[in-house]
Short mmCIF file of all heavy atoms in Angstrom, two decimals:
data_model
loop_
_atom_site.label_atom_id
_atom_site.label_comp_id
_atom_site.label_asym_id
_atom_site.label_seq_id
_atom_site.Cartn_x
_atom_site.Cartn_y
_atom_site.Cartn_z
N SER X 490 -6.26 -15.77 20.76
CA SER X 490 -5.79 -15.40 19.42
C SER X 490 -6.60 -14.26 18.80
O SER X 490 -6.19 -13.72 17.77
CB SER X 490 -5.84 -16.63 18.49
OG SER X 490 -4.94 -17.61 18.95
N TRP X 491 -7.73 -13.90 19.41
CA TRP X 491 -8.48 -12.75 18.92
C TRP X 491 -7.67 -11.46 19.04
O TRP X 491 -7.84 -10.54 18.23
CB TRP X 491 -9.80 -12.59 19.69
CG TRP X 491 -10.86 -13.54 19.26
CD1 TRP X 491 -11.28 -14.68 19.89
CD2 TRP X 491 -11.63 -13.45 18.06
NE1 TRP X 491 -12.26 -15.30 19.17
CE2 TRP X 491 -12.51 -14.56 18.04
CE3 TRP X 491 -11.68 -12.54 17.00
CZ2 TRP X 491 -13.42 -14.79 17.01
CZ3 TRP X 491 -12.59 -12.76 15.97
CH2 TRP X 491 -13.44 -13.87 15.99
N ILE X 492 -6.81 -11.37 20.03
CA ILE X 492 -6.06 -10.13 20.27
C ILE X 492 -5.04 -9.87 19.16
O ILE X 492 -5.02 -8.78 18.56
CB ILE X 492 -5.38 -10.15 21.65
CG1 ILE X 492 -6.44 -10.37 22.74
CG2 ILE X 492 -4.62 -8.84 21.90
CD1 ILE X 492 -7.57 -9.33 22.73
N PRO X 493 -4.17 -10.83 18.81
CA PRO X 493 -3.26 -10.57 17.67
C PRO X 493 -4.02 -10.39 16.36
O PRO X 493 -3.58 -9.64 15.49
CB PRO X 493 -2.34 -11.79 17.63
CG PRO X 493 -3.08 -12.85 18.38
CD PRO X 493 -3.86 -12.13 19.44
N PHE X 494 -5.15 -11.08 16.20
CA PHE X 494 -5.97 -10.89 15.00
C PHE X 494 -6.40 -9.43 14.88
O PHE X 494 -6.31 -8.82 13.80
CB PHE X 494 -7.20 -11.80 15.05
CG PHE X 494 -8.28 -11.42 14.07
CD1 PHE X 494 -8.13 -11.70 12.72
CD2 PHE X 494 -9.43 -10.76 14.49
CE1 PHE X 494 -9.12 -11.34 11.80
CE2 PHE X 494 -10.41 -10.40 13.59
CZ PHE X 494 -10.26 -10.69 12.24
N ILE X 495 -6.86 -8.85 15.98
CA ILE X 495 -7.29 -7.45 15.98
C ILE X 495 -6.11 -6.52 15.71
O ILE X 495 -6.21 -5.58 14.92
CB ILE X 495 -7.98 -7.09 17.32
CG1 ILE X 495 -9.31 -7.85 17.43
CG2 ILE X 495 -8.21 -5.59 17.43
CD1 ILE X 495 -9.97 -7.74 18.79
N PHE X 496 -4.97 -6.78 16.35
CA PHE X 496 -3.78 -5.94 16.16
C PHE X 496 -3.32 -5.97 14.71
O PHE X 496 -3.07 -4.93 14.09
CB PHE X 496 -2.65 -6.39 17.08
CG PHE X 496 -2.76 -5.90 18.49
CD1 PHE X 496 -2.17 -6.61 19.53
CD2 PHE X 496 -3.45 -4.74 18.79
CE1 PHE X 496 -2.27 -6.16 20.84
CE2 PHE X 496 -3.56 -4.29 20.10
CZ PHE X 496 -2.97 -5.00 21.13
N VAL X 497 -3.18 -7.17 14.15
CA VAL X 497 -2.69 -7.29 12.77
C VAL X 497 -3.67 -6.64 11.80
O VAL X 497 -3.26 -5.95 10.86
CB VAL X 497 -2.48 -8.78 12.41
CG1 VAL X 497 -2.21 -8.95 10.92
CG2 VAL X 497 -1.33 -9.37 13.22
N SER X 498 -4.96 -6.81 12.03
CA SER X 498 -5.97 -6.24 11.15
C SER X 498 -5.99 -4.72 11.23
O SER X 498 -5.99 -4.03 10.20
CB SER X 498 -7.36 -6.80 11.50
OG SER X 498 -7.41 -8.20 11.34
N LEU X 499 -6.00 -4.18 12.44
CA LEU X 499 -6.05 -2.73 12.61
C LEU X 499 -4.80 -2.04 12.07
O LEU X 499 -4.89 -1.05 11.35
CB LEU X 499 -6.26 -2.38 14.09
CG LEU X 499 -7.65 -2.59 14.66
CD1 LEU X 499 -7.70 -2.22 16.14
CD2 LEU X 499 -8.69 -1.77 13.90
N PHE X 500 -3.65 -2.58 12.43
CA PHE X 500 -2.41 -1.97 11.96
C PHE X 500 -2.23 -2.17 10.47
O PHE X 500 -1.51 -1.42 9.82
CB PHE X 500 -1.21 -2.53 12.73
CG PHE X 500 -0.94 -1.86 14.03
CD1 PHE X 500 -1.44 -2.39 15.22
CD2 PHE X 500 -0.23 -0.67 14.09
CE1 PHE X 500 -1.21 -1.76 16.44
CE2 PHE X 500 0.00 -0.03 15.29
CZ PHE X 500 -0.49 -0.58 16.47
N GLY X 501 -2.90 -3.19 9.92
CA GLY X 501 -2.82 -3.41 8.49
C GLY X 501 -3.62 -2.41 7.68
O GLY X 501 -3.19 -1.98 6.61
N ILE X 502 -4.79 -2.00 8.21
CA ILE X 502 -5.65 -1.09 7.46
C ILE X 502 -5.36 0.38 7.76
O ILE X 502 -5.63 1.24 6.92
CB ILE X 502 -7.14 -1.38 7.70
CG1 ILE X 502 -7.53 -1.12 9.15
CG2 ILE X 502 -7.46 -2.81 7.31
CD1 ILE X 502 -9.01 -1.30 9.43
N LEU X 503 -4.81 0.68 8.93
CA LEU X 503 -4.58 2.08 9.31
C LEU X 503 -3.65 2.81 8.34
O LEU X 503 -3.99 3.91 7.88
CB LEU X 503 -4.05 2.17 10.74
CG LEU X 503 -3.77 3.59 11.27
CD1 LEU X 503 -5.03 4.44 11.21
CD2 LEU X 503 -3.24 3.53 12.70
N PRO X 504 -2.47 2.24 7.99
CA PRO X 504 -1.61 2.95 7.03
C PRO X 504 -2.28 3.15 5.68
O PRO X 504 -2.11 4.20 5.05
CB PRO X 504 -0.38 2.04 6.91
CG PRO X 504 -0.38 1.22 8.14
CD PRO X 504 -1.82 1.01 8.48
N LEU X 505 -3.07 2.16 5.21
CA LEU X 505 -3.77 2.29 3.93
C LEU X 505 -4.79 3.42 3.98
O LEU X 505 -4.85 4.25 3.07
CB LEU X 505 -4.48 0.97 3.58
CG LEU X 505 -3.63 -0.16 3.04
CD1 LEU X 505 -4.49 -1.41 2.87
CD2 LEU X 505 -3.01 0.23 1.71
N TYR X 506 -5.57 3.44 5.05
CA TYR X 506 -6.61 4.48 5.18
C TYR X 506 -5.98 5.86 5.27
O TYR X 506 -6.43 6.81 4.63
CB TYR X 506 -7.47 4.19 6.41
CG TYR X 506 -8.58 5.19 6.61
CD1 TYR X 506 -9.77 5.07 5.88
CD2 TYR X 506 -8.44 6.26 7.50
CE1 TYR X 506 -10.80 5.99 6.05
CE2 TYR X 506 -9.46 7.18 7.66
CZ TYR X 506 -10.63 7.04 6.94
OH TYR X 506 -11.64 7.96 7.10
N TRP X 507 -4.93 5.96 6.07
CA TRP X 507 -4.24 7.24 6.26
C TRP X 507 -3.63 7.71 4.94
O TRP X 507 -3.78 8.87 4.55
CB TRP X 507 -3.17 7.07 7.32
CG TRP X 507 -2.56 8.34 7.84
CD1 TRP X 507 -2.56 9.58 7.24
CD2 TRP X 507 -1.86 8.50 9.08
NE1 TRP X 507 -1.89 10.49 8.00
CE2 TRP X 507 -1.46 9.86 9.14
CE3 TRP X 507 -1.52 7.65 10.11
CZ2 TRP X 507 -0.73 10.34 10.22
CZ3 TRP X 507 -0.81 8.14 11.18
CH2 TRP X 507 -0.42 9.48 11.23
N TYR X 508 -2.96 6.79 4.27
CA TYR X 508 -2.30 7.14 3.00
C TYR X 508 -3.31 7.66 1.98
O TYR X 508 -3.08 8.68 1.32
CB TYR X 508 -1.59 5.90 2.44
CG TYR X 508 -0.99 6.12 1.07
CD1 TYR X 508 0.24 6.76 0.92
CD2 TYR X 508 -1.65 5.67 -0.08
CE1 TYR X 508 0.80 6.95 -0.34
CE2 TYR X 508 -1.10 5.86 -1.34
CZ TYR X 508 0.12 6.50 -1.46
OH TYR X 508 0.66 6.70 -2.71
N MET X 509 -4.42 6.98 1.84
CA MET X 509 -5.42 7.35 0.84
C MET X 509 -6.10 8.68 1.17
O MET X 509 -6.72 9.30 0.30
CB MET X 509 -6.46 6.26 0.70
CG MET X 509 -5.93 4.97 0.08
SD MET X 509 -5.19 5.22 -1.56
CE MET X 509 -6.63 5.74 -2.51
N ASN X 510 -5.97 9.13 2.41
CA ASN X 510 -6.58 10.41 2.79
C ASN X 510 -5.60 11.57 2.80
O ASN X 510 -6.01 12.71 3.03
CB ASN X 510 -7.24 10.28 4.17
CG ASN X 510 -8.60 9.60 4.10
OD1 ASN X 510 -9.62 10.24 3.87
ND2 ASN X 510 -8.61 8.29 4.29
N VAL X 511 -4.31 11.30 2.56
CA VAL X 511 -3.33 12.40 2.50
C VAL X 511 -2.68 12.52 1.13
O VAL X 511 -2.11 13.56 0.80
CB VAL X 511 -2.24 12.24 3.59
CG1 VAL X 511 -2.85 12.27 4.98
CG2 VAL X 511 -1.44 10.97 3.39
N VAL X 512 -2.77 11.45 0.33
CA VAL X 512 -2.14 11.47 -0.98
C VAL X 512 -2.94 12.35 -1.95
O VAL X 512 -4.16 12.54 -1.78
CB VAL X 512 -2.02 10.04 -1.55
CG1 VAL X 512 -3.39 9.48 -1.97
CG2 VAL X 512 -1.04 9.96 -2.70
N ASP X 513 -2.26 12.92 -2.93
CA ASP X 513 -2.94 13.64 -4.01
C ASP X 513 -3.68 12.59 -4.83
O ASP X 513 -3.07 11.83 -5.59
CB ASP X 513 -1.90 14.36 -4.87
CG ASP X 513 -2.53 15.17 -6.00
OD1 ASP X 513 -3.62 14.80 -6.48
OD2 ASP X 513 -1.91 16.15 -6.44
N PHE X 514 -5.01 12.54 -4.68
CA PHE X 514 -5.76 11.43 -5.24
C PHE X 514 -5.70 11.40 -6.77
O PHE X 514 -5.64 10.32 -7.37
CB PHE X 514 -7.21 11.47 -4.78
CG PHE X 514 -8.01 10.28 -5.24
CD1 PHE X 514 -7.75 9.01 -4.73
CD2 PHE X 514 -9.01 10.43 -6.20
CE1 PHE X 514 -8.46 7.91 -5.17
CE2 PHE X 514 -9.73 9.32 -6.63
CZ PHE X 514 -9.46 8.06 -6.11
N ASN X 515 -5.74 12.56 -7.41
CA ASN X 515 -5.68 12.59 -8.88
C ASN X 515 -4.34 12.03 -9.37
O ASN X 515 -4.29 11.29 -10.36
CB ASN X 515 -5.88 14.01 -9.39
CG ASN X 515 -7.31 14.48 -9.23
OD1 ASN X 515 -8.25 13.69 -9.37
ND2 ASN X 515 -7.49 15.76 -8.91
N TRP X 516 -3.28 12.41 -8.68
CA TRP X 516 -1.96 11.86 -9.03
C TRP X 516 -1.93 10.36 -8.80
O TRP X 516 -1.46 9.60 -9.65
CB TRP X 516 -0.88 12.53 -8.18
CG TRP X 516 0.46 11.85 -8.29
CD1 TRP X 516 1.40 12.03 -9.25
CD2 TRP X 516 0.97 10.83 -7.41
NE1 TRP X 516 2.48 11.20 -9.03
CE2 TRP X 516 2.24 10.46 -7.90
CE3 TRP X 516 0.49 10.24 -6.24
CZ2 TRP X 516 3.03 9.50 -7.28
CZ3 TRP X 516 1.27 9.27 -5.63
CH2 TRP X 516 2.53 8.92 -6.14
N TYR X 517 -2.44 9.93 -7.63
CA TYR X 517 -2.43 8.50 -7.33
C TYR X 517 -3.26 7.71 -8.33
O TYR X 517 -2.88 6.61 -8.75
CB TYR X 517 -2.97 8.24 -5.92
CG TYR X 517 -3.07 6.77 -5.60
CD1 TYR X 517 -1.93 6.05 -5.23
CD2 TYR X 517 -4.28 6.09 -5.71
CE1 TYR X 517 -2.00 4.69 -4.98
CE2 TYR X 517 -4.35 4.73 -5.46
CZ TYR X 517 -3.22 4.05 -5.10
OH TYR X 517 -3.28 2.69 -4.86
N LEU X 518 -4.38 8.28 -8.74
CA LEU X 518 -5.26 7.60 -9.70
C LEU X 518 -4.55 7.39 -11.03
O LEU X 518 -4.70 6.34 -11.66
CB LEU X 518 -6.54 8.41 -9.88
CG LEU X 518 -7.78 7.65 -10.38
CD1 LEU X 518 -8.06 6.44 -9.49
CD2 LEU X 518 -8.98 8.58 -10.41
N ASP X 519 -3.78 8.39 -11.45
CA ASP X 519 -3.02 8.24 -12.70
C ASP X 519 -2.03 7.07 -12.58
O ASP X 519 -1.89 6.26 -13.51
CB ASP X 519 -2.26 9.53 -13.02
CG ASP X 519 -3.19 10.66 -13.47
OD1 ASP X 519 -4.28 10.34 -13.97
OD2 ASP X 519 -2.81 11.84 -13.32
N VAL X 520 -1.33 7.00 -11.44
CA VAL X 520 -0.35 5.93 -11.22
C VAL X 520 -1.07 4.58 -11.14
O VAL X 520 -0.62 3.59 -11.73
CB VAL X 520 0.45 6.18 -9.93
CG1 VAL X 520 1.38 5.00 -9.63
CG2 VAL X 520 1.25 7.47 -10.04
N TYR X 521 -2.18 4.56 -10.42
CA TYR X 521 -2.92 3.32 -10.22
C TYR X 521 -3.46 2.77 -11.55
O TYR X 521 -3.33 1.58 -11.84
CB TYR X 521 -4.09 3.56 -9.26
CG TYR X 521 -4.95 2.35 -8.99
CD1 TYR X 521 -4.56 1.38 -8.07
CD2 TYR X 521 -6.16 2.17 -9.66
CE1 TYR X 521 -5.34 0.26 -7.83
CE2 TYR X 521 -6.95 1.06 -9.42
CZ TYR X 521 -6.53 0.12 -8.50
OH TYR X 521 -7.31 -0.99 -8.26
N ILE X 522 -4.04 3.65 -12.34
CA ILE X 522 -4.58 3.23 -13.64
C ILE X 522 -3.48 2.76 -14.57
O ILE X 522 -3.62 1.75 -15.26
CB ILE X 522 -5.38 4.38 -14.28
CG1 ILE X 522 -6.66 4.66 -13.46
CG2 ILE X 522 -5.75 4.05 -15.72
CD1 ILE X 522 -7.43 5.87 -13.93
N SER X 523 -2.37 3.48 -14.57
CA SER X 523 -1.24 3.10 -15.42
C SER X 523 -0.70 1.73 -15.03
O SER X 523 -0.34 0.92 -15.88
CB SER X 523 -0.14 4.16 -15.33
OG SER X 523 0.99 3.78 -16.07
N THR X 524 -0.65 1.47 -13.71
CA THR X 524 -0.12 0.19 -13.22
C THR X 524 -1.11 -0.95 -13.45
O THR X 524 -0.73 -2.04 -13.87
CB THR X 524 0.21 0.28 -11.72
OG1 THR X 524 1.14 1.34 -11.51
CG2 THR X 524 0.80 -1.02 -11.21
#
């Protein structure tokens, strides 16, 4: 079960990390704070 744990964890964080490094952070911060 360590293998699916690693897959789910890695694939779970990769889109978040990628998104936060390509998004316009100032724009995202405005949306985040407003929400």
Side-chain angles (χ1 to χ4, degrees):
S490 296
W491 282 103
I492 304 303
F494 164 76
I495 292 171
F496 280 154
V497 170
S498 299
L499 285 179
F500 276 96
I502 65 176
L503 180 58
L505 282 175
Y506 181 81
W507 192 340
Y508 175 81
M509 292 303 295
N510 281 274
V511 299
V512 72
D513 182 332
F514 185 68
N515 289 324
W516 169 84
Y517 176 79
L518 203 53
D519 288 336
V520 175
Y521 179 81
I522 292 174
S523 177
T524 303

